[in-house]
Amino acid sequence: MKKILFLLIMASITMIGCTPTSTQQEQTENTQNAVIDAIMARRSIRQYHATPVSRDTLMQIMECGINAANGQNKQSWEVRIVDNSATMAQIQDLMAAGNAELDPAMVKGCMRGAPVMVFIARDLNYDFSAYDCGLLAGNILLSAQSMGVGSIVLGSPVRFINDAVNSADILHILGYSENYELCLCVGLGYAAETPAAKPRDINKVKFID
Ligand SMILES: Cc1cc2nc3c(=O)[nH]c(=O)nc-3n(C[C@H](O)[C@H](O)[C@H](O)COP(=O)(O)O)c2cc1C
C-alpha cells in the first residue's frame, strides 16, 4: 500500500513538472526557435565569397527544397544546379549574346556573382506548378540560411534566358524535360555582405472578425 502511495505521489510530482504553467507557456512562445531565427535573419545576398559550397551541403539543401509542400505531390519542378565556374560563364556568355540589345555586363551581372546557381523549371502541364517552384525555392533559402549559406532568388536570369534569341541553346545545357519552362533561379554561396533587413508592411495583414 505504502509503495502504491509513493508511486502515486511521484507520478503527480512528475505530471506537475511536465504541465506548463501559464508563465512557462508564455516563455516558450517568446523563445526564438531555429526556424524563426532562419526566417528573420535571411536576407538576399548580392556579394559572395568565391569559396565553393560542397555538394554534400548542396544536396542537403536540395533535400529540404524537394520536401516543400506541393500540389498533389506532383513535384511539378525540375531542378538543375550549376556549381562550376566554366559552365556558369558559358551560360552567362550565351545570355549576353542572346540579348545583344542589352549591356552584356548588366546581363551577366544579373546572377549577382553567386558561385552556385539553381535553375528551377516548372511543369507547364500543371496550373499550380509556379507555386510549387516558389515553395521549393523558399525551402532552399531557409535551409541554406540555417546552414550558413547565403542565397538570393533571381527573376532576371529567367527573363534573360527565356527571352534570348538563343534560348534553346541555353536551355539545352540545363537539359529539362519537354513541357518544362524555366521559372525561377536561386543563387547560393557564402555571403560577403550582411545586408540590413528591408522594411515590411504589417498593415497588409489584417484579421477579419
Ligand atoms: C520572384 C523574385 C524575383 C527576384 N528577382 C531578383 C532579381 O532579379 N535580382 C535581384 O537582385 N533580386 C531579386 N529578388 C530579390 C528581392 O529583391 C528581395 O527578396 C527583396 O528585395 C526583399 O529583400 P530580402 O530578400 O533581403 O528580404 C527577387 C525575389 C523574388 C522573390
Side-chain angles (χ1 to χ4, degrees), residues 36-138:
I36 294 174
D37 284 350
I39 290 170
M40 298 310 285
R42 183 212 58 82
R43 303 274 65 99
S44 293
I45 300 301
R46 296 182 175 86
Q47 286 174 44
Y48 292 89
H49 293 294
T51 325
V53 182
S54 77
R55 287 202 170 182
D56 281 351
T57 300
L58 290 172
M59 277 316 290
Q60 220 172 337
I61 293 170
M62 295 308 137
E63 282 283 343
C64 292
I66 63 171
N67 272 280
N70 66 95
Q72 299 171 35
N73 198 30
K74 282 175 180 284
Q75 303 165 62
S76 63
W77 49 59
E78 281 190 359
V79 180
R80 302 290 181 263
I81 305 161
V82 174
D83 65 348
N84 80 80
S85 52
T87 308
M88 193 83 90
Q90 188 191 4
I91 292 172
Q92 288 176 351
D93 287 346
L94 285 168
M95 269 168 48
N99 292 275
E101 72 287 3
L102 301 175
D103 173 12
M106 188 270 287
V107 175
K108 293 180 185 184
C110 78
M111 290 188 176
R112 302 292 187 184
V116 179
M117 194 57 52
V118 183
F119 296 89
I120 304 166
R122 74 182 190 95
D123 183 351
L124 291 173
N125 291 323
Y126 181 46
D127 54 352
F128 284 147
S129 60
Y131 304 110
D132 287 353
C133 292
L135 289 164
L136 170 115

Side-chain angles (χ1 to χ4, degrees), residues 19-31:
T19 311
T21 63
S22 63
T23 320
Q24 281 173 323
Q25 246 160 4
E26 277 161 28
Q27 275 172 359
T28 310
E29 281 161 18
N30 291 336
T31 302

Side-chain angles (χ1 to χ4, degrees), residues 42-44 46 112 152-157 184 198 200:
R42 183 212 58 82
R43 303 274 65 99
S44 293
R46 296 182 175 86
R112 302 292 187 184
I152 185 165
V153 177
L154 294 169
S156 312
L184 210 51
K198 291 182 182 171
R200 298 309 207 254

Side-chain angles (χ1 to χ4, degrees), residues 33-43 141-143 145-146:
N33 67 45
V35 177
I36 294 174
D37 284 350
I39 290 170
M40 298 310 285
R42 183 212 58 82
R43 303 274 65 99
L141 303 189
L142 295 179
S143 53
Q145 174 72 30
S146 76

